[in-house]
Amino acid sequence: MSDSQHPRVVVIGGGTGMPVLLRGLKNLPIHLTALVTVADDGGSTGRLRNEMAIPAPGDIRNVIAALSDAEPMLLELFQHRFTMGNGLSGHSMGNLLLAAMTSITGNFYTGIKEISRVLNVKGKIYPISNESMSLHAKMTDGMVVSGESNIPLANKKINRVFLSPQPVQPLPNAVRALEKADLIVIAPGSLYTSILPNMIIPQIDVAIQQSKGKVVYVCNVMTQAGETTGYSAADHVQAIHEHVGHCIDSIVVHNEPINESVRDVYAEENAAPVVYDTDRLLEMGLQIIESDIINPSRTALRHDTHKIAELLYSIINKS
């Protein structure tokens, strides 16, 4: 297959789940594009957002690191977080570089493109928008909580999330990438604060719904306190469909039991394994793709980079 015929895969998301997927996908014969959330507002990212009026760089930084083929020392420098010094303490070097490059080029996306070139990034990285935006959640009791980092802390059941200021303008390249995609992958991650902020942006929601490519959701393995407590797999899908309309064709779920010692660690954070309610997923018209896709570890559950990449690649070849 010539390079121009390689399938176009678009991964949409943020947080810790997205880089895991991208690290495995970057070496496959595909045209890879990452659409990354810019709604986070905690830590170094939040300070740079407020002080420099730029979109959030944190998730973008992690995606650049995941897709980079740079020397390990250069990547270590890029991901370095300062612990000393009043002004620099808590800041990540990569966030500062993204802020500086935005300043030099006058444009957040151009800054990302230039740093991607320097760090030899495979694939394309688009912020979902070039604008700074704030995330809000309306809870089922009517209370509205503002700020991505505050939403899980409220510890209430979320009814819906929305962005300000309205209307948020999507990056045109992001919309085009979705329109041309052969496969759209919704990455695992914080449902209401990493995944949905991308999908509810005007034009992005329509592009996902109307895409000719298949839309696959890689479901979270564990629930998240303050966001998805007690959520089954179908509850995750339902939340996405309530926000952006019926758009998911397939769901990828982990089908092996989770080690009890790992469950205990998560239980301390009020997190539990996501229950895969197969009947309800089938009623929703979803194709269920089950596999052992976890990287076994005694303390944290992460999707296995290579297993999930091979699984997603096999979906493209079948479609």
Side-chain angles (χ1 to χ4, degrees):
M1 189 186 285
S2 72
D3 189 54
S4 61
Q5 292 173 307
H6 285 164
R8 296 175 184 278
V9 178
V10 177
V11 181
I12 189 164
T16 54
M18 191 175 191
V20 175
L21 257 61
L22 295 172
R23 268 195 293 274
L25 290 169
K26 74 175 179 184
N27 295 315
L28 295 174
I30 57 175
H31 287 290
L32 182 59
T33 303
L35 307 186
V36 191
T37 181
V38 288
D40 51 328
D41 60 9
S44 166
T45 277
R47 283 158 62 196
L48 287 171
R49 270 185 64 158
N50 296 336
E51 288 164 22
M52 297 191 63
I54 61 169
D59 285 344
I60 297 272
R61 183 193 81 244
N62 288 328
V63 166
I64 289 172
L67 289 177
S68 168
D69 265 351
E71 291 296 320
M73 183 54 86
L74 191 56
L75 275 184
E76 201 176 321
L77 172 69
F78 186 68
Q79 289 288 53
H80 176 72
R81 196 174 288 279
F82 294 96
T83 52
M84 307 292 284
N86 287 341
L88 284 176
S89 184
H91 271 310
S92 146
M93 186 68 192
N95 287 356
L96 294 172
L97 284 171
L98 280 163
M101 199 62 99
T102 301
S103 219
I104 291 166
T105 61
N107 181 291
F108 186 57
Y109 165 56
T110 312
I112 292 166
K113 203 162 61 170
E114 288 303 311
I115 284 187
S116 296
R117 203 165 51 83
V118 171
L119 289 177
N120 199 18
V121 157
K122 286 182 154 185
K124 293 189 169 72
I125 300 171
Y126 297 136
I128 203 76
S129 173
N130 237 340
E131 301 172 27
S132 200
M133 62 179 83
S134 295
L135 185 68
H136 312 272
K138 187 177 184 194
M139 304 300 178
T140 48
D141 65 1
M143 176 184 175
V144 173
V145 177
S146 296
E148 174 264 342
S149 53
N150 296 324
I151 290 167
L153 301 178
N155 230 343
K156 295 186 168 206
K157 192 160 168 50
I158 300 167
N159 178 28
R160 67 183 184 93
V161 287
F162 58 97
L163 296 162
S164 70
Q166 288 287 1
V168 173
Q169 296 296 327
L171 194 76
N173 293 16
V175 178
R176 274 197 295 276
L178 289 167
E179 287 170 348
K180 292 179 176 176
D182 297 304
L183 181 72
I184 296 171
V185 181
I186 303 167
S190 302
L191 180 63
Y192 289 102
T193 53
S194 285
I195 308 305
L196 283 168
N198 289 316
M199 300 180 73
I200 58 177
I201 291 177
Q203 295 177 57
I204 295 290
D205 55 355
V206 174
I208 294 170
Q209 272 189 313
Q210 295 182 352
S211 166
K212 293 185 285 288
K214 202 168 196 178
V215 180
V216 179
Y217 173 45
V218 181
C219 192
N220 294 344
V221 180
M222 303 297 283
T223 62
Q224 185 177 354
E227 287 207 34
T228 54
T229 305
Y231 272 41
S232 69
D235 291 331
H236 282 75
V237 173
Q238 192 174 331
I240 293 171
H241 285 175
E242 281 172 1
H243 278 77
V244 294
H246 193 99
C247 61
I248 298 171
D249 301 309
S250 310
I251 184 168
V252 174
V253 297
H254 176 65
N255 65 355
E256 289 294 314
I258 290 159
N259 185 309
E260 201 162 324
S261 61
V262 175
R263 291 168 83 123
D264 291 344
V265 171
Y266 276 87
E268 287 171 27
E269 298 172 13
N270 291 325
V274 170
V275 174
Y276 302 123
D277 36 0
T278 311
D279 291 350
R280 213 170 126 211
L281 291 168
L282 292 171
E283 277 167 25
M284 294 167 110
L286 298 190
Q287 177 196 13
I288 303 169
I289 301 162
E290 295 181 71
S291 187
D292 175 7
I293 47 171
I294 292 304
N295 187 349
S297 149
R298 282 188 293 280
T299 52
L301 283 177
R302 291 279 177 269
H303 284 89
D304 185 287
T305 300
H306 301 294
K307 286 180 188 171
I308 196 76
E310 282 169 21
L311 186 69
L312 291 170
Y313 191 61
S314 72
I315 295 170
I316 307 167
N317 289 337
K318 282 178 196 158
S319 56

